Amino acid sequence: MTPNAIDRLVAQLSKLPGVGKKSASRMAYHILDGSSGYAHALAEELAALHQAIRRCGICGGFTETDPCPICADHGRDHALICVVERAQDLRIIEESHEFNGVFHVLGGLIAPLEGVGPGDLAIGKLTARLREHQVREIILALNPTVEGDTTALYLQKMLKEFPVEVSRLASGLPVGGDLEYTDRLTLSRSFRGRVKV
Amino acid sequence: MTPNAIDRLVAQLSKLPGVGKKSASRMAYHILDGSSGYAHALAEELAALHQAIRRCGICGGFTETDPCPICADHGRDHALICVVERAQDLRIIEESHEFNGVFHVLGGLIAPLEGVGPGDLAIGKLTARLREHQVREIILALNPTVEGDTTALYLQKMLKEFPVEVSRLASGLPVGGDLEYTDRLTLSRSFRGRVKV
Protein backbone atom coordinates (compact mmCIF):
# COMPACT_ATOMS: atom_id res chain seq x y z
CA MET A 1 0.00 0.00 0.00
CA THR A 2 2.35 2.66 -1.24
CA PRO A 3 1.14 5.88 -2.86
CA ASN A 4 0.30 5.59 -6.55
CA ALA A 5 2.40 8.59 -7.58
CA ILE A 6 5.53 6.86 -6.20
CA ASP A 7 4.61 3.57 -7.87
CA ARG A 8 4.11 5.29 -11.21
CA LEU A 9 7.47 7.07 -10.94
CA VAL A 10 9.19 3.80 -9.97
CA ALA A 11 7.59 2.12 -12.99
CA GLN A 12 8.90 4.84 -15.31
CA LEU A 13 12.39 4.85 -13.77
CA SER A 14 12.59 1.03 -14.04
CA LYS A 15 12.54 1.38 -17.83
CA LEU A 16 15.97 3.05 -17.77
CA PRO A 17 18.92 0.82 -18.71
CA GLY A 18 20.60 -0.82 -15.72
CA VAL A 19 17.84 0.22 -13.35
CA GLY A 20 15.84 -2.53 -11.63
CA LYS A 21 12.83 -2.11 -9.38
CA LYS A 22 14.98 -1.71 -6.26
CA SER A 23 17.22 1.00 -7.72
CA ALA A 24 14.20 2.77 -9.17
CA SER A 25 12.58 2.75 -5.74
CA ARG A 26 15.74 4.16 -4.14
CA MET A 27 15.84 6.91 -6.75
CA ALA A 28 12.17 7.79 -6.28
CA TYR A 29 12.56 8.12 -2.50
CA HIS A 30 15.76 10.09 -2.95
CA ILE A 31 13.86 12.55 -5.17
CA LEU A 32 11.01 12.70 -2.64
CA ASP A 33 13.38 13.29 0.28
CA GLY A 34 15.06 16.13 -1.57
CA SER A 35 13.60 19.51 -2.42
CA SER A 36 11.00 19.77 -5.15
CA GLY A 37 13.53 21.92 -7.04
CA TYR A 38 15.55 18.90 -8.15
CA ALA A 39 12.46 17.00 -9.35
CA HIS A 40 11.39 20.01 -11.38
CA ALA A 41 14.86 20.62 -12.84
CA LEU A 42 15.05 16.98 -13.97
CA ALA A 43 11.49 17.13 -15.34
CA GLU A 44 12.32 20.23 -17.37
CA GLU A 45 15.46 18.72 -18.87
CA LEU A 46 13.50 15.62 -19.87
CA ALA A 47 10.62 17.57 -21.38
CA ALA A 48 12.98 19.80 -23.38
CA LEU A 49 15.27 16.97 -24.51
CA HIS A 50 13.58 15.86 -27.71
CA GLN A 51 12.88 19.43 -28.75
CA ALA A 52 16.45 20.62 -28.20
CA ILE A 53 18.21 17.64 -29.72
CA ARG A 54 18.06 16.53 -33.35
CA ARG A 55 20.30 14.38 -35.53
CA CYS A 56 23.09 15.97 -37.57
CA GLY A 57 22.25 15.84 -41.28
CA ILE A 58 25.83 14.88 -42.13
CA CYS A 59 27.11 12.43 -39.49
CA GLY A 60 23.84 11.40 -37.76
CA GLY A 61 25.08 12.30 -34.26
CA PHE A 62 22.89 14.05 -31.70
CA THR A 63 23.19 17.81 -31.87
CA GLU A 64 21.49 21.09 -31.05
CA THR A 65 22.60 22.71 -34.33
CA ASP A 66 22.59 21.19 -37.84
CA PRO A 67 25.29 20.48 -38.96
CA CYS A 68 26.72 19.49 -35.58
CA PRO A 69 29.72 21.36 -34.07
CA ILE A 70 32.07 18.53 -35.13
CA CYS A 71 30.97 18.50 -38.79
CA ALA A 72 31.02 22.33 -38.86
CA ASP A 73 34.53 22.53 -37.35
CA HIS A 74 37.10 23.43 -40.04
CA GLY A 75 39.94 22.64 -37.65
CA ARG A 76 39.13 18.92 -37.85
CA ASP A 77 40.34 16.48 -40.49
CA HIS A 78 37.34 15.96 -42.79
CA ALA A 79 39.25 13.41 -44.88
CA LEU A 80 39.25 11.01 -41.92
CA ILE A 81 35.89 9.45 -41.01
CA CYS A 82 35.33 7.32 -37.92
CA VAL A 83 32.33 4.98 -38.36
CA VAL A 84 30.49 4.17 -35.11
CA GLU A 85 27.41 2.12 -34.29
CA ARG A 86 25.52 4.58 -32.09
CA ALA A 87 25.65 8.29 -31.30
CA GLN A 88 26.82 7.60 -27.74
CA ASP A 89 29.98 5.89 -29.09
CA LEU A 90 30.83 9.26 -30.61
CA ARG A 91 30.79 10.83 -27.16
CA ILE A 92 33.12 8.18 -25.73
CA ILE A 93 35.64 8.65 -28.55
CA GLU A 94 35.44 12.45 -28.23
CA GLU A 95 36.18 12.20 -24.52
CA SER A 96 39.32 10.15 -25.19
CA HIS A 97 40.76 13.09 -27.21
CA GLU A 98 42.41 10.50 -29.50
CA PHE A 99 40.66 11.45 -32.71
CA ASN A 100 40.58 14.67 -34.72
CA GLY A 101 38.58 13.56 -37.76
CA VAL A 102 34.82 13.51 -38.29
CA PHE A 103 32.22 10.81 -37.55
CA HIS A 104 29.56 8.73 -39.24
CA VAL A 105 26.85 7.08 -37.14
CA LEU A 106 25.49 3.84 -38.65
CA GLY A 107 22.52 3.66 -36.29
CA GLY A 108 23.00 -0.04 -35.60
CA LEU A 109 24.86 -3.16 -36.73
CA ILE A 110 23.98 -5.88 -39.23
CA ALA A 111 22.12 -8.56 -37.24
CA PRO A 112 20.24 -11.03 -39.45
CA LEU A 113 18.68 -12.78 -36.45
CA GLU A 114 17.10 -9.52 -35.34
CA GLY A 115 16.09 -8.65 -38.90
CA VAL A 116 18.58 -5.79 -39.26
CA GLY A 117 20.13 -5.75 -42.75
CA PRO A 118 22.55 -3.31 -44.41
CA GLY A 119 19.56 -1.37 -45.77
CA ASP A 120 18.52 -0.42 -42.23
CA LEU A 121 21.82 1.33 -41.54
CA ALA A 122 23.10 4.72 -42.73
CA ILE A 123 25.45 3.08 -45.27
CA GLY A 124 24.03 4.87 -48.32
CA LYS A 125 24.73 8.16 -46.58
CA LEU A 126 28.33 7.07 -45.98
CA THR A 127 28.95 6.25 -49.68
CA ALA A 128 27.31 9.57 -50.62
CA ARG A 129 29.83 11.34 -48.38
CA LEU A 130 32.67 9.42 -50.07
CA ARG A 131 31.44 10.46 -53.51
CA GLU A 132 30.96 14.10 -52.60
CA HIS A 133 34.11 14.71 -50.57
CA GLN A 134 37.73 13.63 -50.67
CA VAL A 135 38.12 11.02 -47.94
CA ARG A 136 41.52 9.51 -47.17
CA GLU A 137 40.76 6.97 -44.47
CA ILE A 138 37.80 5.32 -42.78
CA ILE A 139 38.25 3.92 -39.26
CA LEU A 140 35.67 1.32 -38.31
CA ALA A 141 35.16 1.81 -34.56
CA LEU A 142 32.65 -1.02 -34.15
CA ASN A 143 32.42 -3.27 -31.10
CA PRO A 144 34.42 -6.53 -31.37
CA THR A 145 31.24 -8.65 -31.33
CA VAL A 146 29.71 -10.99 -33.94
CA GLU A 147 27.48 -8.17 -35.21
CA GLY A 148 30.34 -5.68 -35.18
CA ASP A 149 32.59 -8.10 -37.10
CA THR A 150 29.85 -8.85 -39.66
CA THR A 151 29.19 -5.17 -40.25
CA ALA A 152 32.90 -4.39 -40.50
CA LEU A 153 33.36 -7.17 -43.08
CA TYR A 154 30.40 -5.91 -45.11
CA LEU A 155 31.67 -2.32 -45.09
CA GLN A 156 35.22 -3.46 -45.93
CA LYS A 157 33.99 -5.26 -49.07
CA MET A 158 31.65 -2.47 -50.07
CA LEU A 159 34.26 0.23 -49.64
CA LYS A 160 36.72 -1.53 -52.01
CA GLU A 161 35.28 0.39 -54.96
CA PHE A 162 36.33 3.69 -53.35
CA PRO A 163 39.92 4.97 -53.25
CA VAL A 164 39.93 5.01 -49.45
CA GLU A 165 41.95 3.23 -46.83
CA VAL A 166 39.84 1.21 -44.33
CA SER A 167 41.09 0.32 -40.84
CA ARG A 168 39.58 -1.07 -37.70
CA LEU A 169 40.26 -0.37 -34.02
CA ALA A 170 42.73 -2.85 -32.47
CA SER A 171 41.18 -5.63 -30.43
CA GLY A 172 42.99 -7.33 -27.57
CA LEU A 173 43.63 -7.27 -23.84
CA PRO A 174 42.14 -4.28 -22.06
CA VAL A 175 44.61 -2.06 -20.19
CA GLY A 176 44.82 -3.26 -16.58
CA GLY A 177 43.34 -6.60 -17.62
CA ASP A 178 44.63 -9.97 -16.49
CA LEU A 179 45.60 -12.84 -18.79
CA GLU A 180 44.05 -15.24 -16.30
CA TYR A 181 40.61 -13.73 -16.73
CA THR A 182 40.80 -13.17 -20.47
CA ASP A 183 38.54 -15.26 -22.69
CA ARG A 184 39.98 -17.43 -25.44
CA LEU A 185 38.76 -15.26 -28.32
CA THR A 186 40.24 -12.05 -26.93
CA LEU A 187 43.52 -13.85 -26.30
CA SER A 188 43.57 -15.23 -29.85
CA ARG A 189 42.94 -11.71 -31.19
CA SER A 190 45.74 -10.25 -29.09
CA PHE A 191 48.09 -12.87 -30.53
CA ARG A 192 47.08 -12.21 -34.11
CA GLY A 193 47.27 -8.46 -33.59
CA ARG A 194 50.58 -8.55 -31.66
CA VAL A 195 52.80 -5.51 -32.07
CA LYS A 196 56.59 -5.59 -32.47
CA VAL A 197 58.39 -3.74 -29.71
CA MET B 1 31.75 18.63 -27.79
CA THR B 2 28.45 17.03 -26.95
CA PRO B 3 25.16 18.93 -27.01
CA ASN B 4 24.42 20.98 -23.91
CA ALA B 5 20.93 19.57 -23.43
CA ILE B 6 22.39 16.07 -23.07
CA ASP B 7 25.12 17.28 -20.72
CA ARG B 8 22.57 19.03 -18.53
CA LEU B 9 20.38 15.93 -18.37
CA VAL B 10 23.42 13.77 -17.55
CA ALA B 11 24.35 16.21 -14.77
CA GLN B 12 20.86 15.97 -13.27
CA LEU B 13 20.68 12.17 -13.57
CA SER B 14 24.13 11.82 -11.94
CA LYS B 15 22.64 13.22 -8.73
CA LEU B 16 20.47 10.11 -8.30
CA PRO B 17 21.74 7.55 -5.78
CA GLY B 18 23.89 4.82 -7.31
CA VAL B 19 24.15 6.64 -10.64
CA GLY B 20 27.60 7.73 -11.79
CA LYS B 21 28.45 9.76 -14.86
CA LYS B 22 28.65 6.68 -17.10
CA SER B 23 25.27 5.28 -16.07
CA ALA B 24 23.71 8.73 -16.35
CA SER B 25 25.10 9.03 -19.87
CA ARG B 26 23.70 5.61 -20.81
CA MET B 27 20.31 6.62 -19.45
CA ALA B 28 20.29 9.93 -21.32
CA TYR B 29 21.09 8.27 -24.64
CA HIS B 30 18.52 5.56 -23.96
CA ILE B 31 15.90 8.27 -23.44
CA LEU B 32 17.06 10.06 -26.62
CA ASP B 33 16.99 6.87 -28.68
CA GLY B 34 13.45 6.14 -27.55
CA SER B 35 10.29 8.02 -28.42
CA SER B 36 9.68 11.44 -26.89
CA GLY B 37 6.63 9.87 -25.20
CA TYR B 38 8.74 8.18 -22.54
CA ALA B 39 10.71 11.35 -21.75
CA HIS B 40 7.46 13.27 -21.36
CA ALA B 41 5.81 10.59 -19.20
CA LEU B 42 8.83 10.56 -16.88
CA ALA B 43 8.91 14.37 -16.81
CA GLU B 44 5.24 14.53 -15.86
CA GLU B 45 5.61 12.02 -13.03
CA LEU B 46 8.56 14.00 -11.67
CA ALA B 47 6.80 17.34 -11.90
CA ALA B 48 3.67 16.00 -10.20
CA LEU B 49 5.54 14.07 -7.50
CA HIS B 50 5.91 16.70 -4.80
CA GLN B 51 2.36 17.96 -5.36
CA ALA B 52 0.77 14.53 -5.13
CA ILE B 53 2.79 13.22 -2.21
CA ARG B 54 2.76 14.60 1.35
CA ARG B 55 3.69 13.16 4.72
CA CYS B 56 1.07 11.40 6.83
CA GLY B 57 0.22 13.51 9.91
CA ILE B 58 0.23 10.42 12.12
CA CYS B 59 3.07 8.13 11.04
CA GLY B 60 5.14 10.45 8.83
CA GLY B 61 5.14 8.11 5.83
CA PHE B 62 4.69 9.35 2.26
CA THR B 63 1.05 9.37 1.20
CA GLU B 64 -1.45 10.86 -1.21
CA THR B 65 -4.16 11.13 1.47
CA ASP B 66 -3.80 12.29 5.10
CA PRO B 67 -3.97 10.14 7.19
CA CYS B 68 -2.29 7.52 5.01
CA PRO B 69 -4.14 4.31 4.00
CA ILE B 70 -2.24 2.32 6.66
CA CYS B 71 -3.11 4.67 9.54
CA ALA B 72 -6.72 4.89 8.31
CA ASP B 73 -7.10 1.10 8.02
CA HIS B 74 -9.22 -0.25 10.89
CA GLY B 75 -8.29 -3.81 9.94
CA ARG B 76 -4.72 -3.24 11.16
CA ASP B 77 -3.44 -3.58 14.71
CA HIS B 78 -3.10 0.00 15.97
CA ALA B 79 -1.69 -1.18 19.30
CA LEU B 80 1.46 -2.41 17.53
CA ILE B 81 3.79 0.29 16.19
CA CYS B 82 6.82 -0.43 14.03
CA VAL B 83 9.42 2.36 14.28
CA VAL B 84 11.51 2.86 11.12
CA GLU B 85 14.23 5.28 10.12
CA ARG B 86 12.94 6.41 6.74
CA ALA B 87 9.69 6.26 4.79
CA GLN B 88 11.20 3.84 2.26
CA ASP B 89 11.81 1.29 5.04
CA LEU B 90 8.03 1.25 5.49
CA ARG B 91 7.61 0.13 1.89
CA ILE B 92 10.10 -2.72 2.27
CA ILE B 93 8.36 -4.01 5.40
CA GLU B 94 4.93 -3.69 3.74
CA GLU B 95 6.16 -5.72 0.78
CA SER B 96 7.29 -8.56 3.07
CA HIS B 97 3.66 -8.97 4.31
CA GLU B 98 5.11 -9.83 7.74
CA PHE B 99 3.57 -7.01 9.69
CA ASN B 100 -0.05 -5.99 10.32
CA GLY B 101 0.43 -3.09 12.76
CA VAL B 102 1.03 0.58 12.04
CA PHE B 103 4.23 2.56 11.51
CA HIS B 104 6.17 5.49 12.87
CA VAL B 105 8.84 7.16 10.74
CA LEU B 106 11.65 8.76 12.77
CA GLY B 107 13.08 10.66 9.82
CA GLY B 108 16.66 9.72 10.64
CA LEU B 109 18.91 8.20 13.29
CA ILE B 110 20.86 9.75 16.16
CA ALA B 111 24.31 10.56 14.75
CA PRO B 112 26.31 12.96 16.96
CA LEU B 113 29.15 13.20 14.43
CA GLU B 114 26.72 14.49 11.81
CA GLY B 115 25.02 16.77 14.31
CA VAL B 116 21.79 14.78 14.44
CA GLY B 117 20.41 14.59 18.00
CA PRO B 118 17.18 13.09 19.39
CA GLY B 119 15.50 16.49 18.98
CA ASP B 120 15.86 16.27 15.19
CA LEU B 121 13.82 13.05 15.02
CA ALA B 122 10.05 12.51 15.30
CA ILE B 123 10.40 11.14 18.86
CA GLY B 124 8.06 13.66 20.49
CA LYS B 125 5.37 12.60 18.05
CA LEU B 126 5.91 8.96 19.04
CA THR B 127 5.47 9.66 22.76
CA ALA B 128 2.37 11.72 21.94
CA ARG B 129 0.92 8.69 20.15
CA LEU B 130 1.69 6.53 23.19
CA ARG B 131 -0.11 8.98 25.47
CA GLU B 132 -3.17 9.34 23.27
CA HIS B 133 -3.68 5.72 22.28
CA GLN B 134 -3.36 2.34 23.89
CA VAL B 135 -0.17 0.82 22.49
CA ARG B 136 0.84 -2.73 23.39
CA GLU B 137 4.19 -3.15 21.66
CA ILE B 138 6.78 -1.11 19.80
CA ILE B 139 9.06 -2.90 17.33
CA LEU B 140 12.26 -0.99 16.56
CA ALA B 141 13.02 -1.85 12.93
CA LEU B 142 16.27 0.15 12.76
CA ASN B 143 19.33 -0.88 10.78
CA PRO B 144 21.95 -2.87 12.77
CA THR B 145 24.51 -0.06 12.46
CA VAL B 146 26.21 2.16 15.07
CA GLU B 147 23.59 4.88 14.51
CA GLY B 148 20.74 2.36 14.55
CA ASP B 149 22.01 0.80 17.79
CA THR B 150 22.46 4.22 19.43
CA THR B 151 18.96 5.29 18.46
CA ALA B 152 17.46 1.98 19.60
CA LEU B 153 19.20 2.29 22.96
CA TYR B 154 17.97 5.86 23.38
CA LEU B 155 14.38 4.91 22.53
CA GLN B 156 14.54 1.84 24.79
CA LYS B 157 15.51 3.99 27.79
CA MET B 158 13.00 6.71 26.98
CA LEU B 159 10.11 4.28 26.51
CA LYS B 160 10.63 2.74 29.97
CA GLU B 161 8.20 5.27 31.46
CA PHE B 162 5.40 3.94 29.24
CA PRO B 163 3.57 0.64 29.85
CA VAL B 164 4.67 -0.72 26.48
CA GLU B 165 6.78 -3.67 25.40
CA VAL B 166 9.76 -2.74 23.25
CA SER B 167 11.42 -5.21 20.87
CA ARG B 168 13.96 -5.03 18.11
CA LEU B 169 14.30 -6.95 14.83
CA ALA B 170 16.61 -9.96 15.12
CA SER B 171 20.12 -9.44 13.80
CA GLY B 172 22.26 -12.30 12.48
CA LEU B 173 23.22 -14.26 9.40
CA PRO B 174 21.24 -13.31 6.30
CA VAL B 175 19.27 -16.13 4.66
CA GLY B 176 21.46 -17.72 1.99
CA GLY B 177 24.55 -16.20 3.60
CA ASP B 178 27.80 -18.03 4.20
CA LEU B 179 29.58 -18.28 7.56
CA GLU B 180 32.88 -17.90 5.74
CA TYR B 181 31.98 -14.45 4.47
CA THR B 182 30.27 -13.22 7.61
CA ASP B 183 31.96 -10.47 9.61
CA ARG B 184 32.88 -10.95 13.25
CA LEU B 185 30.20 -8.62 14.62
CA THR B 186 27.35 -10.28 12.73
CA LEU B 187 28.61 -13.69 13.85
CA SER B 188 28.80 -12.55 17.46
CA ARG B 189 25.22 -11.26 17.22
CA SER B 190 23.99 -14.53 15.74
CA PHE B 191 25.56 -16.36 18.68
CA ARG B 192 24.02 -14.08 21.28
CA GLY B 193 20.62 -14.22 19.54
CA ARG B 194 20.72 -17.97 18.93
CA VAL B 195 17.35 -19.72 18.92
CA LYS B 196 16.60 -23.13 20.50
CA VAL B 197 15.40 -25.71 17.99
Side-chain angles (χ1 to χ4, degrees):
Chain A
M1 260 215 275
T2 43
N4 288 329
I6 300 182
D7 283 340
R8 285 198 307 269
L9 179 61
V10 169
Q12 294 290 355
L13 289 170
S14 309
K15 293 179 190 166
L16 292 171
V19 178
K21 214 188 146 222
K22 275 217 168 166
S23 320
S25 175
R26 270 185 69 207
M27 288 176 187
Y29 279 104
H30 176 88
I31 295 168
L32 257 176
D33 276 335
S35 72
S36 65
Y38 172 66
H40 278 105
L42 186 53
E44 269 170 35
E45 292 304 340
L46 284 163
L49 190 67
H50 278 88
Q51 282 179 339
I53 305 286
R54 68 192 88 180
R55 283 192 178 267
C56 171
I58 299 173
C59 71
F62 290 123
T63 174
E64 282 177 299
T65 53
D66 193 6
C68 73
I70 295 172
C71 288
D73 186 349
H74 292 294
R76 298 185 72 118
D77 186 353
H78 286 256
L80 177 63
I81 297 182
C82 177
V83 174
V84 294
E85 177 191 347
R86 302 161 307 170
Q88 48 264 57
D89 299 334
L90 193 154
R91 186 194 187 111
I92 297 162
I93 293 171
E94 273 300 278
E95 282 174 358
S96 77
H97 300 289
E98 269 301 321
F99 181 71
N100 195 37
V102 291
F103 290 93
H104 192 83
V105 179
L106 286 181
L109 294 173
I110 298 172
L113 289 177
E114 290 163 37
V116 183
D120 301 310
L121 311 179
I123 294 177
K125 263 192 163 175
L126 178 63
T127 52
R129 283 177 80 175
L130 291 175
R131 269 186 215 104
E132 281 161 30
H133 303 281
Q134 187 106 37
V135 177
R136 189 179 71 251
E137 183 180 349
I138 288 187
I139 301 174
L140 303 176
L142 306 174
N143 285 338
T145 57
V146 174
E147 288 84 9
D149 291 353
T150 310
T151 310
L153 212 66
Y154 179 88
L155 288 173
Q156 231 167 289
K157 279 185 183 168
M158 207 209 57
L159 292 170
K160 268 189 183 147
E161 57 172 294
F162 295 93
V164 62
E165 204 175 296
V166 181
S167 62
R168 200 167 168 204
L169 288 192
S171 172
L173 303 176
V175 175
D178 190 326
L179 270 181
E180 198 180 338
Y181 300 110
T182 305
D183 61 294
R184 212 170 44 81
L185 272 172
T186 303
L187 207 57
S188 123
R189 285 208 182 184
S190 336
F191 268 101
R192 276 187 279 152
R194 66 190 178 276
V195 182
K196 279 223 170 110
V197 285
Chain B
M1 260 218 274
T2 43
N4 288 330
I6 301 182
D7 283 340
R8 285 197 307 269
L9 179 61
V10 169
Q12 293 290 355
L13 289 171
S14 310
K15 292 178 190 166
L16 291 172
V19 179
K21 215 188 145 219
K22 275 218 168 165
S23 320
S25 177
R26 271 185 70 209
M27 290 177 186
Y29 280 103
H30 176 88
I31 294 168
L32 258 177
D33 276 334
S35 73
S36 66
Y38 172 67
H40 278 107
L42 186 53
E44 270 171 33
E45 292 304 340
L46 283 164
L49 191 67
H50 276 87
Q51 282 177 340
I53 305 286
R54 69 191 89 178
R55 283 193 178 266
C56 171
I58 300 173
C59 72
F62 290 123
T63 173
E64 282 176 300
T65 54
D66 193 6
C68 73
I70 295 172
C71 288
D73 187 350
H74 292 294
R76 299 184 72 118
D77 186 354
H78 286 257
L80 178 63
I81 297 182
C82 178
V83 174
V84 294
E85 178 192 348
R86 302 161 308 170
Q88 47 264 58
D89 298 333
L90 194 154
R91 186 194 187 110
I92 296 161
I93 292 170
E94 273 299 278
E95 281 174 358
S96 78
H97 300 291
E98 269 300 321
F99 181 69
N100 196 38
V102 290
F103 290 93
H104 191 83
V105 178
L106 286 181
L109 293 174
I110 297 172
L113 290 176
E114 290 162 37
V116 184
D120 300 311
L121 311 180
I123 294 177
K125 263 191 163 175
L126 179 63
T127 53
R129 283 177 81 175
L130 290 176
R131 269 186 217 103
E132 282 160 31
H133 303 281
Q134 187 105 36
V135 177
R136 190 180 69 249
E137 184 181 348
I138 288 188
I139 301 173
L140 303 176
L142 306 173
N143 285 336
T145 57
V146 175
E147 288 83 8
D149 292 352
T150 309
T151 311
L153 212 65
Y154 179 87
L155 289 174
Q156 230 168 290
K157 280 186 182 168
M158 209 208 56
L159 292 170
K160 269 190 184 148
E161 56 173 296
F162 295 93
V164 63
E165 204 176 296
V166 181
S167 62
R168 205 173 163 198
L169 288 191
S171 174
L173 303 176
V175 174
D178 190 325
L179 271 181
E180 198 179 340
Y181 299 111
T182 305
D183 61 293
R184 211 168 45 81
L185 271 173
T186 302
L187 206 56
S188 123
R189 284 208 184 184
S190 333
F191 268 101
R192 274 187 280 152
R194 67 190 179 277
V195 181
K196 278 220 171 114
V197 287

